[in-house]
Amino acid sequence: INRIAKIERSREYQRQQLLQNKISWGSTFWDWKLHSVIGVLDLDLFAYPPSLSDVVQTAAQYIIPSESTGDDDTNKFHAICANGLQVSDGRRSYYDTFSTILLPNTWLHKNSDRVTARGALEGENATLGKMSQTQTLQWFLKKGKESDGHYGGMEAGEGIVPVRSCFNGFTLYRADVYFDPRCRYDLYNQKDALYMSRSELHTCEHIVFNECLGRVLAEKSVDGNFRIAVKPDLLTLWHLIN
């Protein structure tokens, strides 16, 4: 079993443990989960978002439906990813290209390790796909500052960049979406092979999971498509290279 296979099985095991433990939470679980958030994180990072209050505020502002303001589900996101950085010789760049797909379908992973060549995906922007990791970070920071709040046909709001998939070491999911029984980190769809790594011979488990959520939520007439975004000022640090 290779590295990605081990990771996806581990993530799904933890997710199933949480699902099984819902029984001990009582009958209010399924009412509660619409207004709750699950944080998925890697434990091998150098740094996480420094302020818990920022994480809570992010969940409240962008994910949890607010009855007091009249927001319904379509005004919120199902998931918000941190902005994963790596630093080399004092220079910052975007790290997690393997999990990141821009709207509508631009996978940021390096072309030399892609089974599907850059530009061959339906709707892929080859120009954006050619960005270096340093340029990708600047692109996210710029998009996050744009005041019109729109990108890829989705309403973004200042400070949020909608994408098709992301992770970046720390992602917040609305609990009812994260616990959807139709999706798993280790349940492949035929189309997931389009995002396969040559070296790993696997697709990133976050793409597998997020693409599944995209398919199943598209079937819902009320909730619409899966809505996920990167928050450029919610930072994690993956690597520090001197």
Side-chain angles (χ1 to χ4, degrees):
I1 301 177
N2 76 2
R3 184 180 68 91
I4 300 299
K6 291 178 181 178
I7 292 173
E8 66 190 16
R9 291 185 182 186
S10 176
R11 292 197 192 280
E12 187 56 35
Y13 173 79
Q14 296 298 330
R15 180 174 167 274
Q16 291 300 321
Q17 287 295 107
L18 287 171
L19 272 171
Q20 293 172 17
N21 289 339
K22 75 180 186 294
I23 298 174
S24 64
W25 299 346
S27 60
T28 61
F29 172 76
W30 296 110
D31 295 330
W32 160 87
K33 64 180 182 159
L34 177 64
H35 299 279
S36 299
V37 170
I38 296 292
V40 181
L41 72 161
D42 282 344
L43 298 178
D44 59 349
L45 304 183
F46 278 89
Y48 299 90
S51 171
L52 180 59
S53 64
D54 288 345
V55 174
V56 173
Q57 183 179 3
T58 296
Q61 182 174 356
Y62 296 107
I63 299 178
I64 300 174
S66 174
E67 296 178 0
S68 63
T69 59
D71 287 345
D72 60 24
D73 292 345
T74 59
N75 292 325
K76 298 283 186 170
F77 287 85
H78 299 112
I80 296 292
C81 300
N83 184 7
L85 307 182
Q86 63 179 1
V87 178
S88 177
D89 295 326
R91 188 172 186 177
R92 303 188 308 169
S93 61
Y94 186 86
Y95 181 76
D96 196 13
T97 59
F98 192 32
S99 75
T100 305
I101 307 174
L102 305 182
L103 291 171
N105 196 18
T106 299
W107 187 27
L108 295 182
H109 193 51
K110 58 186 179 182
N111 194 49
S112 61
D113 192 46
R114 293 172 50 146
V115 170
T116 304
R118 180 182 292 137
L121 295 170
E122 183 178 357
E124 186 165 27
N125 184 322
T127 300
L128 287 179
K130 290 179 181 178
M131 291 188 297
S132 68
Q133 288 171 270
T134 300
Q135 291 170 331
T136 298
L137 174 60
Q138 294 305 314
W139 184 88
F140 272 111
L141 294 175
K142 179 181 178 182
K143 285 294 179 181
K145 293 178 180 178
E146 290 182 353
S147 58
D148 61 8
H150 288 80
Y151 172 66
M154 297 182 68
E155 185 173 353
E158 188 174 358
I160 290 293
V161 184
V163 295
R164 180 166 175 158
S165 177
C166 56
F167 176 59
N168 285 322
F170 180 66
T171 296
L172 299 171
Y173 284 90
R174 204 175 75 192
D176 65 316
V177 173
Y178 183 73
F179 287 128
D180 193 304
R182 294 169 291 180
C183 293
R184 295 173 58 101
Y185 283 104
D186 57 357
L187 183 62
Y188 274 59
N189 180 277
Q190 184 177 2
K191 293 182 179 180
D192 294 337
L194 293 170
Y195 309 102
M196 185 178 292
S197 158
R198 285 185 180 274
S199 60
E200 300 285 358
L201 295 179
H202 270 70
T203 300
C204 174
E205 75 277 10
H206 300 291
I207 289 180
V208 170
F209 190 64
N210 292 335
E211 284 290 287
C212 179
L213 292 175
R215 289 188 296 272
V216 300
L217 290 179
E219 300 172 0
K220 292 186 177 182
S221 59
V222 176
D223 226 7
N225 294 326
F226 178 52
R227 298 184 297 279
I228 184 171
V230 172
K231 192 171 189 293
D233 62 354
L234 189 67
L235 301 177
T236 57
L237 179 59
W238 290 67
H239 290 303
L240 185 60
I241 306 171
N242 294 322

